[in-house]
Amino acid sequence: MTVATTVPTRRSLVSETILVLGVSLGASGVWALLSLVNKLTQPVALNRQTTAMNSSVTPDRPWLDLTYQLVGIVLALVPVALALHLLSRDRPDARHAMGADLRQPGRDLVRGALLAAAVGLPGLGLYAAARALGLNTTIAAANLSNQWWTIPVLVLAAVQNAVLEEVVMIGYLYARWLRAGWSLPVVMVTSALIRGSYHLYQGFGGFVGNLVMGLLFGWVYTRTRRVAPLVVAHTLLDVVAFVGYALLKGHLAWLS
């Protein structure tokens, strides 16, 4: 028995990406915009407000708090599975085609580390400048209670962020939008704008910094056709931010 296959139209491809974004990072962009509006309409200046990330849910019950954190990490990866599933319907080797695999571990680690270094210091400078200009909140990157599992959970959160953003925003969207006939510059800019949008909760500095990061990561992807180095770079950046903040927030005044 032969099963007829339907070639997806340009409209269906774009509609699919809107739906995937609607249940993942696109929805985060909407909430981030509302969060920014809320902060801008507060009587306190933006740079005098604090944005808390990786916060405890039930700090008085560590076992339940750990459960909340782990469930949140797992559920946040569902859009990744959805994106890969949708791509695999047209191309069974979709994961390998976008380089979301372990076929080049050494090269991916080196590329990722170099990319993280190239982004990290300029990003920190942009954050400091945006705060000084009153365009960004203070970022409290880690606010979990002090438990034996705090650091491992922060590392897992960093990995989750990296996998979600790079697989969906780069691997999936690039594949779908290019197949829909969009030009590469349009794909790169649109993806980067969405990436910036779901960081608006941090302020305008978070938006600009992540927009630039999205453009750079997109450019690297067009040269390597591998999201793995991007995942490595993103993970390293978030691990330094999350774990570094957790370890140093009581010792460095400029972190608060």
Side-chain angles (χ1 to χ4, degrees):
M1 178 179 178
T2 302
V3 178
T5 58
T6 302
V7 178
T9 64
R10 177 175 181 173
R11 180 177 179 179
S12 67
L13 288 169
V14 174
S15 297
E16 179 190 290
T17 62
I18 293 173
L19 292 173
V20 170
L21 288 171
V23 297
S24 59
L25 295 167
S28 297
V30 175
W31 291 117
L33 176 59
L34 290 175
S35 176
L36 178 62
V37 171
N38 175 46
K39 289 169 180 173
L40 290 174
T41 53
Q42 295 288 336
V44 181
L46 191 63
N47 63 346
R48 293 187 178 275
Q49 299 181 46
T50 299
T51 298
M53 302 170 61
N54 298 302
S55 299
S56 287
V57 180
T58 57
D60 58 323
R61 288 156 290 169
W63 64 270
L64 184 57
D65 198 12
L66 174 59
T67 303
Y68 266 108
Q69 303 302 327
L70 294 178
V71 169
I73 289 169
V74 172
L75 292 181
L77 292 174
V78 172
V80 175
L82 174 61
L84 292 174
H85 169 72
L86 292 171
L87 289 176
S88 66
R89 294 188 307 173
D90 303 324
R91 182 169 182 173
D93 66 338
R95 185 169 60 87
H96 298 308
M98 71 169 67
D101 53 38
L102 300 176
R103 292 184 173 185
Q104 301 178 26
R107 184 175 297 180
D108 290 338
L109 285 172
V110 171
R111 286 174 173 170
L114 292 175
L115 189 55
V119 172
L121 289 178
L124 186 60
L126 177 62
Y127 166 69
R131 275 191 63 192
L133 294 171
L135 299 175
N136 215 78
T137 61
T138 297
I139 306 299
N143 299 276
L144 296 176
S145 57
N146 187 19
Q147 303 294 333
W148 65 266
W149 46 260
T150 298
I151 299 303
V153 164
L154 290 174
V155 172
L156 287 176
V159 174
Q160 172 253 296
N161 287 344
V163 172
L164 173 62
E165 294 189 40
E166 305 316 325
V167 171
V168 173
M169 297 307 303
I170 300 292
Y172 169 72
L173 290 183
Y174 275 49
R176 278 319 200 213
W177 286 342
L178 287 173
R179 188 174 181 186
W182 292 20
S183 68
L184 180 58
V186 170
V187 171
M188 293 177 69
V189 171
T190 305
S191 174
L193 284 170
I194 297 172
R195 186 190 292 258
S197 74
Y198 56 78
H199 289 89
L200 278 169
Y201 67 92
Q202 301 175 6
F204 297 104
F207 171 79
V208 173
N210 282 278
L211 186 153
V212 173
M213 177 175 161
L215 292 173
L216 175 60
F217 277 26
W219 178 82
V220 171
Y221 179 69
T222 62
R223 297 301 186 273
T224 64
R225 288 297 171 182
R226 293 191 59 77
V227 298
L230 311 183
V231 171
V232 170
H234 197 147
T235 298
L236 291 175
L237 290 169
D238 280 4
V239 166
V240 170
F242 299 166
V243 177
Y245 185 90
L247 295 177
L248 300 175
K249 63 181 177 180
H251 305 283
L252 297 176
W254 60 271
L255 286 177
S256 59

